[in-house]
Amino acid sequence: MEDLKIVNGIVYDPLNGIDGERLDIHVSGGKIAERAKAQRVIDVKGMVVMPGGVDIHSHIAGPKINMGRRLRPENHRTAPVPKTDVTRAGVGGGLSSTFVTGYRYAAMGYTTVMEPAVPPLMARHAHEELNDIPMVDKGCYVLMGNNEYIISHIHELNKVENYVKWLLNAAKGYAIKAVNPCGSDNWKWGENVHGLGEKGVKFDATPKEMITTLSEVNKRLKLPHPLHLHTIDLGVPGNYETTLETLEMLKGKRAHLTHLQFNCYGGSSWKDLSSEAGGIAEKVNDSKITVDSGQVIFGDVTTMTADAPWQYRLYRLSGNKWVNNDVEVECGGGIVPYRYRKKNSVNATQWAIGLELLLMIEDPWRVYLSTDNPNGGSFTSYPYIIKLLMDKKFRKEELSTLHQNASSTSLPDIDREYTLGEIATITRGATAKSLGLKNKGHLGVGADADIAIYPLKEDIAKMFSKASYVIKDGDLVVGKGKIISEKYGKTFMLDFKEKVEPDPDVREFFKYYTVDIENYPVEMAYLPRYEAIKCG
Amino acid sequence: MKFEHVVCPLCGCLCDDLELIVERNEVISTKNACALSRSMFLNLNADLAKPLIEGKETGIEACVDKAIGIISKADYPLVYGLASTESNAQRKAVELAELLGGAIDSTSSICHGPTVLGVQMMGEVTCTLGTIMNQADLVVFWGSNPVDAHPRHLTRYSLTPRGLFTPRGRKGRRMIVVDVRETKSSKLADRFIQLKPGTDFEALSSLRALIKGEKIDIDPELKELAEEMKSCEFGALLFGQGLTMSNGKNMNVNAALALVRDLNQHTKFAILPMRGHYNVTGADMVFTWQTGYPFAIDFSLGYPRYGPGEFSVVDLLSRKEVDVALIIASDPVSSLPAQASSYLSEIDTIVIDPNRSMTSEIARVVIPTARAGISAEGTAYRMDGVPIRLKKVLKSPYPSDYEVLCKIVNGVIDGRSKDS
């Protein structure tokens, strides 16, 4: 690893208040340094320099994405990726293979990606795949919102706290994830929940109790990232009322509502589905909540979530092939291929809502760019979304090609255009901050030297799709949008500062598992390179 | 020395509750192991492979070097097997196939390959084994005989255990066996339906029609079965090679998958393949995350192509398309059709395996290894996809499959850089 000096770039580093200044960046020992004895100087005159991108929510590793890959050879056949002297072969459709996932993120200047939905029983699998994703640092969130131990101890906060801590450590996870809390457990009996106060089929707990419990535990454990919530009633017409109720319930608390676009629907049926993004954005503006958008992209996608009853509904709607997997004690999940169509009124409205959220939530530190890859679309669509945010003319042109219902949203009236500084915020600065990753998302002294350098181009989408240079941990890994050297990043886990032992009744509860509790926790062998982030 | 919570590296059940007593690097007793597992653990030293070149015993380094030499000169090599090793070896094997521009296939292509094809056509409504334990009140074994093939399946997962919502265990569960012949499993069943060979597709499709409310003239037993399936609280259909390897193959699986999917409009029902080798599921997993495809993959164009029937082991060998075969942790000579396996003795066949096998008998090079799950750690994926860490309980004088494959990959790369 040699020292580097990156000179003459126009730097956007929102966490350090730098908004388009011509500055030199020094790199030494894989970190941003005050001054480096640079043997190598990279002149990036006229180019834009940003911290490496940090994706807070992208399904890239583990049983679900892999089942999706296995389900859809038709998706890979049109997107072969040959090996090169420095990179492995693979496939790069909407369900890219692990190596290709890493390369594609790096080519766009992303250097940290979080896998957001891992069943703890399958966490080893997720880590195995993360270890085969080069170029980026990574971590995973642990599914807990339908965990039958938590559900059956919902009123015993101390027990839940101890269990959550043990489970995060056992799965070597980074954050608590809840997906359709209590609803996916109901799906084990063919049901769902509707509304925050509904009780489960087999248990007393309600989604409201689950969300407040996990949010409280998250606070008590002082986890770096807030509760990462895929809330209930996702995807359903009229669900905005539940979303508003959820936001009200979490008022004053820390929480992250993910792919919120899917929870902003008015109307009472698919025929009259409408956007309620305005009211939701207002409520978000008025809270401490952070969100990511969950933009949909027109074309073929593969939907996959731990919201198993929603996936069943989507299967019944679309008639496409359907995978469901009910995981003992912990969760479930489903997969359904889907096509978002421009001329479909619902899809067009969904597209508009994603942008409304990004444009109407005022504080860029609290709304992040995502497609819920691969659900709304591939992460490779980020440059296109950035262009939509930065270029109102382009946005209007796109809108004019869609079903007219997209124009009944407030999108046509929004004139806001993102600045490069704001783009840097929603794609790196703010996401790193929300994750509590102090050495990511900025270019201050001591930060990991993850740097993305973009050519300043008139076409914003082109600019962000191929970085001119990417530096990962101080090494030059991308040149002109191509991988020039392969590098493996680290996995983030949590440091609880003390040994975490399960409560005796967790041991007792393991009789409902088919794996021995001694064989359950993920061994450190699965994290060959890691950084443990201190809680508190 | 006593080892507890040991994972059994034999069948797709991956039971993880074994206790072993080891003395002088030998397992002298087992607890909780089934008859198959006990016999394996107590006879680990029988039939161990030796490093051989052209049948002559030599050192392991010489064998690895010989293998590197053969492989480096190969025009179109096949990497095959991998069902009985851990995932790091599987990862390295894909890397090797890619590096060589060869083909890679696992034993999936001769057991549950049709299952994969069925799933790719229509999806799969499934669950983990613990969900069956916790919830199922009806289990249907179709073309599978767990008593003989997966001896502890019934007691650990699917029939007798008491789970979260199944406090009565066996008493609260109905077991149905559908097969072409009586088996030890069918004798335990509450209902046994004997089909004429080759009529699985018809029976499954008829059940599906019945469930959809169609009136068809059919065996009253199937009508009763349809009713039972529809009216259970949580059902599971567990199928084996009786379905995947009999006439109709993937179409049989397709019919079973469709039946189970449609049952979910009435109740909850799941379907699971009874995978045989302990980590054949892992081979599917690793191949898929690295290449997008689960088996029968070709790299001759520099990128992965998927071609069951084209790049699958039986086809590549019987069409004599490959010139070198690297067989890892598998015994194709004992399991492939003669037309395919006989070709292995005509070409340069290299075997990496802890044990002697029919394939090692005909191989040009035999590289013995430390057996995964006995003398090497690693990950295996249970038949339902649950990943479990294999343990090391005995020492082996030999490197692991993974270590050997690393040496081969490095050797091939070094050879090329010297040439260029």
Side-chain angles (χ1 to χ4, degrees):
Chain A
M1 191 183 303
E2 57 184 349
D3 286 2
L4 288 175
K5 203 162 123 183
I6 299 152
V7 301
N8 295 324
I10 308 155
V11 177
Y12 291 86
D13 179 8
L15 272 171
N16 290 308
I18 296 165
D19 189 28
E21 288 174 43
R22 205 166 126 169
L23 285 173
D24 296 345
I25 306 285
H26 298 259
V27 174
S28 180
K31 301 274 179 190
I32 306 289
E34 192 77 54
R35 196 149 290 283
K37 278 184 261 162
Q39 299 114 331
R40 183 159 182 187
V41 177
I42 305 178
D43 189 344
V44 295
K45 192 169 178 204
M47 295 185 193
V48 167
V49 179
M50 289 186 182
V54 178
D55 195 340
I56 201 161
H57 189 108
S58 174
H59 301 270
I60 52 168
K64 232 179 348 271
I65 180 83
N66 213 37
M67 185 63 212
R69 292 184 191 112
R70 189 169 88 125
L71 181 70
R72 302 203 66 195
E74 73 277 12
N75 201 271
H76 313 317
R77 283 204 165 102
T78 52
V81 178
K83 77 184 280 289
T84 70
D85 287 345
V86 287
T87 58
R88 295 284 306 271
V91 291
L95 299 160
S96 48
S97 54
T98 50
F99 305 119
V100 174
T101 299
Y103 306 142
R104 297 227 156 147
Y105 263 112
M108 296 195 311
Y110 271 76
T111 48
T112 302
V113 187
M114 302 304 269
E115 156 58 50
V118 172
L121 181 62
M122 316 280 206
R124 246 180 225 99
H125 178 172
H127 285 287
E128 287 217 291
E129 285 197 32
L130 289 175
N131 289 334
D132 269 349
I133 298 180
M135 317 309 287
V136 295
D137 294 333
K138 50 248 167 171
C140 59
Y141 310 157
V142 181
L143 288 164
M144 298 196 192
N146 293 283
N147 184 299
E148 287 167 344
Y149 178 86
I150 300 177
I151 292 178
S152 55
H153 293 77
I154 196 78
H155 300 300
E156 299 165 81
L157 204 55
N158 288 336
K159 281 198 170 167
V160 175
E161 181 186 343
N162 183 69
Y163 174 71
V164 167
K165 190 172 167 184
W166 176 77
L167 196 60
L168 282 165
N169 191 54
K172 301 293 178 281
Y174 189 74
I176 303 174
K177 175 76 179 295
V179 173
N180 187 5
C182 301
S184 292
D185 190 62
N186 265 4
W187 176 247
K188 287 185 171 163
W189 308 100
E191 304 287 337
N192 195 354
V193 288
H194 308 283
L196 290 161
E198 191 175 304
K199 288 191 170 170
V201 178
K202 296 282 176 179
F203 297 98
D204 252 357
T206 63
K208 182 175 181 172
E209 288 168 327
M210 179 57 79
I211 294 168
T212 46
T213 299
L214 289 177
S215 146
E216 179 60 24
V217 165
N218 204 100
K219 187 175 155 193
R220 284 191 183 191
L221 293 174
K222 298 185 173 142
L223 301 183
H225 183 54
L227 168 65
H228 199 98
L229 176 63
H230 158 145
T231 194
I232 65 167
D233 289 341
L234 175 137
V236 186
N239 63 13
Y240 79 101
E241 288 183 27
T242 306
T243 312
L244 288 175
E245 222 182 302
T246 309
L247 286 163
E248 179 62 31
M249 194 173 93
L250 291 166
K251 203 171 178 181
K253 295 187 172 135
R254 275 180 89 214
H256 180 83
L257 262 62
T258 190
H259 41 69
L260 192 60
Q261 176 275 124
F262 293 103
N263 288 79
C264 299
Y265 304 153
S268 55
S269 73
W270 298 112
K271 283 191 184 128
D272 66 355
L273 181 138
S274 60
S275 166
E276 292 291 342
I280 303 279
E282 204 176 305
K283 195 86 185 169
V284 172
N285 285 334
D286 192 29
S287 72
K288 286 184 180 173
I289 304 292
T290 59
V291 309
D292 63 89
S293 57
Q295 181 66 36
V296 305
I297 304 294
F298 298 111
D300 177 274
V301 301
T302 309
T303 70
M304 52 181 68
T305 102
D307 193 340
W310 162 248
Q311 293 298 106
Y312 174 68
R313 190 160 176 175
L314 198 58
Y315 149 64
R316 295 288 284 159
L317 269 173
S318 68
N320 291 341
K321 46 191 180 183
W322 169 46
V323 169
N324 181 79
N325 191 2
D326 292 335
V327 178
E328 62 209 62
V329 180
E330 299 182 342
C331 57
I335 305 173
V336 179
Y338 187 75
R339 177 173 286 274
Y340 290 106
R341 292 175 165 87
K342 285 189 169 187
K343 299 296 181 192
N344 172 302
S345 69
V346 172
N347 297 161
T349 306
Q350 291 177 307
W351 180 90
I353 293 173
L355 295 171
E356 282 185 292
L357 287 175
L358 281 161
L359 292 161
M360 292 165 85
I361 294 173
E362 287 152 10
D363 182 359
W365 293 94
R366 291 200 291 114
V367 57
Y368 317 135
L369 186 152
S370 78
T371 58
D372 188 17
N373 170 72
N375 281 283
S378 165
F379 64 87
T380 54
S381 308
Y382 292 172
Y384 162 74
I385 303 170
I386 291 173
K387 184 173 174 180
L388 288 168
L389 294 173
M390 291 187 70
D391 184 342
K392 122 185 124 181
K393 189 163 151 269
F394 178 62
R395 202 155 68 217
K396 291 199 168 141
E397 278 166 21
E398 284 288 281
L399 197 55
S400 70
T401 66
L402 310 186
H403 188 280
Q404 71 222 28
N405 279 14
S407 297
S408 347
T409 65
S410 49
L411 194 60
D413 306 321
I414 301 176
D415 286 329
R416 181 176 170 194
E417 288 184 329
Y418 267 65
T419 63
L420 279 173
E422 285 173 329
I423 293 296
T425 306
I426 65 167
T427 57
R428 46 265 280 162
T431 43
K433 188 177 167 202
S434 171
L435 288 166
L437 292 172
K438 296 196 171 69
N439 295 325
K440 295 290 173 193
H442 72 101
L443 299 172
V445 171
D448 291 347
D450 295 352
I451 308 168
I453 298 161
Y454 300 102
L456 200 52
K457 284 195 176 161
E458 200 148 323
D459 187 334
I460 296 289
K462 279 192 181 147
M463 166 175 166
F464 281 99
S465 60
K466 281 185 180 174
S468 298
Y469 301 99
V470 176
I471 289 144
K472 176 86 195 77
D473 290 325
D475 285 331
L476 190 59
V477 292
V478 170
K480 290 188 183 161
K482 286 209 163 63
I483 307 299
I484 52 178
S485 81
E486 193 183 63
K487 189 175 170 90
Y488 277 80
K490 62 194 165 197
T491 303
F492 291 110
M493 58 177 280
L494 296 169
D495 175 3
F496 289 108
K497 294 174 204 159
E498 60 199 0
K499 201 159 188 291
V500 192
E501 289 293 342
D503 208 80
D505 69 356
V506 172
R507 288 186 180 277
E508 176 65 19
F509 206 79
F510 258 74
K511 68 182 179 213
Y512 304 126
Y513 274 100
T514 50
V515 173
D516 195 292
I517 192 168
E518 301 300 327
N519 288 324
Y520 183 86
V522 172
E523 296 80 2
M524 284 310 291
Y526 292 86
L527 286 83
R529 283 196 63 212
Y530 70 94
E531 182 177 340
I533 303 294
K534 285 198 173 62
C535 299
Chain B
M1 190 173 174
K2 185 167 154 188
F3 289 88
E4 292 177 302
H5 320 293
V6 173
V7 183
C8 171
L10 186 66
C11 84
C13 284
L14 275 183
C15 302
D16 74 334
D17 61 344
L18 271 57
E19 283 182 31
L20 304 178
I21 305 287
V22 172
E23 279 179 13
R24 289 182 299 279
N25 207 35
E26 254 185 80
V27 177
I28 58 157
S29 79
T30 65
K31 198 175 150 194
N32 293 340
C34 68
L36 300 177
S37 171
R38 190 165 56 243
S39 161
M40 172 190 73
F41 276 109
L42 297 180
N43 296 289
L44 285 169
N45 291 332
D47 269 341
L48 285 180
K50 290 182 178 133
L52 303 173
I53 297 177
E54 313 281 5
K56 289 198 186 70
E57 193 168 339
T58 174
I60 182 143
E61 284 79 16
C63 289
V64 172
D65 287 345
K66 182 78 182 167
I68 292 168
I70 291 172
I71 286 169
S72 299
K73 289 197 188 83
D75 180 38
Y76 186 41
L78 166 68
V79 180
Y80 173 74
L82 297 156
S84 298
T85 189
E86 49 78 45
S87 66
N88 277 333
Q90 293 164 341
R91 287 159 80 186
K92 214 67 195 170
V94 177
E95 186 178 346
L96 181 62
E98 180 189 311
L99 182 68
L100 299 168
I104 186 163
D105 196 14
S106 81
T107 57
S108 266
S109 83
I110 55 159
C111 59
H112 277 276
T115 302
V116 174
L117 297 182
V119 169
Q120 288 174 338
M121 283 172 83
M122 60 187 323
E124 176 184 33
V125 181
T126 189
C127 67
T128 65
L129 292 169
T131 306
I132 298 178
M133 174 182 84
N134 285 333
Q135 293 187 234
D137 58 343
L138 176 69
V139 284
V140 181
F141 289 89
W142 197 301
S144 76
N145 175 12
V147 173
D148 282 329
H150 300 92
R152 293 184 72 207
H153 200 284
L154 299 175
T155 52
R156 256 176 80 78
Y157 306 127
S158 53
L159 185 63
T160 58
R162 295 162 203 269
L164 195 48
F165 302 104
T166 52
R168 295 170 66 227
R170 175 66 178 99
K171 290 199 181 88
R173 257 183 214 111
R174 289 270 296 166
M175 176 188 181
I176 293 168
V177 168
V178 183
D179 214 327
V180 294
R181 66 180 73 83
E182 267 196 31
T183 62
K184 283 184 197 156
S185 302
S186 73
K187 294 202 177 86
L188 298 178
D190 299 304
R191 181 195 290 275
F192 169 51
I193 298 178
Q194 188 163 3
L195 297 179
K196 270 194 273 176
T199 62
D200 295 277
F201 179 82
E202 194 183 321
L204 287 160
S205 303
S206 305
L207 284 170
R208 189 167 162 226
L210 289 166
I211 277 149
K212 282 180 175 290
E214 306 283 342
K215 301 224 170 348
I216 50 173
D217 182 24
I218 196 154
D219 182 353
E221 273 218 300
L222 282 180
K223 283 191 181 165
E224 285 170 30
L225 176 57
E227 263 327 295
E228 274 201 75
M229 291 175 111
K230 234 167 124 166
S231 58
C232 72
E233 197 170 34
F234 192 110
L237 193 156
L238 301 127
F239 67 102
Q241 290 187 45
L243 201 57
T244 67
M245 283 294 143
S246 61
N247 264 353
K249 289 194 168 183
N250 55 311
M251 294 311 293
N252 296 341
V253 180
N254 214 315
L257 291 166
L259 169 66
V260 168
R261 183 193 65 191
D262 291 355
L263 277 163
N264 281 278
Q265 287 174 42
H266 303 278
T267 182
K268 280 287 284 189
F269 224 100
I271 183 165
L272 278 96
M274 301 284 279
R275 304 300 303 259
H277 293 295
Y278 77 87
N279 199 24
V280 66
T281 304
D284 285 15
M285 293 281 187
V286 171
F287 290 10
T288 302
W289 83 58
Q290 292 207 345
T291 74
Y293 306 117
F295 69 108
I297 302 154
D298 161 84
F299 282 106
S300 61
L301 297 181
Y303 53 80
R305 288 188 299 162
Y306 179 47
E310 190 178 6
F311 308 126
S312 31
V313 63
V314 172
D315 308 275
L316 288 172
L317 293 178
S318 46
R319 286 200 307 263
K320 305 190 174 194
E321 287 193 23
V322 292
D323 58 343
V324 169
L326 178 64
I327 310 297
I328 304 155
S330 167
D331 187 14
V333 170
S334 74
S335 52
L336 297 186
Q339 195 191 346
S341 64
S342 62
Y343 182 60
L344 285 171
S345 57
E346 293 174 33
I347 58 174
D348 290 341
T349 295
I350 300 158
V351 168
I352 299 176
D353 203 305
N355 289 84
R356 276 178 60 192
S357 65
M358 287 170 76
T359 312
S360 71
E361 294 299 303
I362 58 101
R364 269 194 81 187
V365 183
V366 178
I367 306 172
T369 49
R371 186 165 176 161
I374 306 282
S375 301
E377 294 187 331
T379 317
Y381 289 76
R382 202 166 69 183
M383 59 169 74
D384 57 353
V386 171
I388 303 181
R389 180 99 182 142
L390 301 172
K391 302 229 175 2
K392 178 179 172 174
V393 293
L394 299 182
K395 288 192 208 82
S396 163
Y398 299 119
S400 65
D401 297 327
Y402 170 68
E403 287 162 337
V404 168
L405 284 162
C406 283
K407 278 186 186 162
I408 294 178
V409 165
N410 294 339
V412 171
I413 293 171
D414 288 350
R416 283 189 190 175
S417 56
K418 268 177 214 151
D419 288 347
S420 61

